[in-house]
Amino acid sequence: MKIFGLAKNYFPAEAEARKAFQAPAEPIVFLKPNTAYLHNHKPFFVPQFMGRIDFETEVVVRICRLGKGIAERFARRYYDALTVGIDFTAHDYLVNAQQNGLPWDLCKGFDGAAVVGEWVAAERLENPDNLHFRLDINGRTVQTGCTADMIFSIDRMISYISRFYTLRTGDLIYTGTPAGSGSVSIGDRLEGWLEGEQLLSFNCK
């Protein structure tokens, strides 16, 4: 299983910020190892030695068939389910990587850094490019988003990624996070929602 992530894939929510925003010309893709995968409501063990750990709430897409060089118009055939997930990021490691031109492997790929909720069949969702999602921590909403605000659509991501990597059944694509990410602490309870349905719930330990 390959786990792909997308960086900088949301337009700013504020109109003024949008005017100054420089959207990337192509999707910015990174990888997480399969040991980052966390599911079935299992607890996330906060790696305290890494400093501040940030949550990034995202819609996650599950690939359902083998594909390479997929045309964007056919991309919809290559995923069968979506959910809400958390792309955990070691904040201090990311800042260091960005400042020094280093890879993102450590800040994005540590154990448990790719959390997924329960899957929803794609056919149940009327429009994958207009999905509302949110994250609650300890009963308080801390981040909201809508896939309509993505720079690159799901179909565009699949087509682009498949130019470089053969997609296989079970591969995952984290589609990027909107504004509003923040840090987690031991004892926090996280609950993720997609189109009003709770799909994700786990504790930080």
Side-chain angles (χ1 to χ4, degrees):
M1 177 179 68
K2 298 185 292 298
I3 303 173
F4 299 96
L6 269 286
K8 298 181 179 179
N9 195 35
Y10 273 81
F11 288 105
E14 302 80 12
E16 287 303 313
R18 284 197 181 209
K19 292 179 182 178
F21 179 70
Q22 294 292 322
E26 294 184 322
I28 301 172
V29 180
F30 60 90
L31 284 162
K32 291 175 178 269
N34 58 15
T35 50
Y37 183 61
L38 185 67
H39 63 124
N40 291 336
H41 310 286
K42 293 177 181 177
F44 170 66
F45 291 92
V46 180
Q48 292 181 282
F49 72 94
M50 297 185 77
R52 173 176 151 185
I53 303 298
D54 287 348
F55 61 82
E56 297 182 7
T57 315
E58 313 192 6
V59 170
V60 185
V61 177
R62 185 178 69 191
I63 299 299
C64 64
R65 60 192 295 188
L66 184 73
K68 173 71 175 176
I70 302 164
E72 188 172 342
R73 66 183 183 276
F74 298 131
R76 178 62 188 81
R77 303 176 184 179
Y78 287 83
Y79 67 95
D80 65 347
L82 302 94
T83 190
V84 63
I86 305 294
D87 168 19
F88 277 121
T89 303
H91 175 83
D92 299 335
Y93 281 65
L94 178 60
V95 170
N96 180 62
Q98 291 174 329
Q99 291 177 345
N100 295 286
L102 300 174
W104 288 15
D105 301 60
L106 292 181
C107 60
K108 288 286 193 178
F110 54 90
D111 289 351
V115 190
V116 295
E118 299 169 15
W119 294 102
V120 177
E123 64 224 24
R124 280 185 52 200
L125 300 168
E126 185 174 340
N127 183 4
D129 291 321
N130 189 28
L131 299 176
H132 295 83
F133 59 98
R134 79 173 199 262
L135 177 69
D136 295 352
I137 297 183
N138 304 325
R140 181 175 66 89
T141 298
V142 295
Q143 191 175 20
T144 61
C146 179
T147 56
D149 296 322
M150 294 194 303
I151 297 168
F152 302 105
S153 69
I154 292 170
D155 289 352
R156 175 76 175 98
M157 293 178 212
I158 290 173
S159 177
Y160 182 81
I161 291 171
S162 72
R163 289 168 54 191
F164 305 94
Y165 301 93
T166 298
L167 294 178
R168 298 181 183 276
T169 300
D171 287 349
L172 306 181
I173 300 176
Y174 280 69
T175 59
T177 193
S181 62
S183 61
V184 295
S185 302
I186 291 174
D188 283 343
R189 173 74 174 176
L190 278 67
E191 297 176 334
W193 303 72
L194 180 66
E195 289 293 287
E197 183 177 358
Q198 187 190 72
L199 302 176
L200 181 73
S201 60
F202 64 97
N203 296 319
C204 293
K205 294 188 175 181

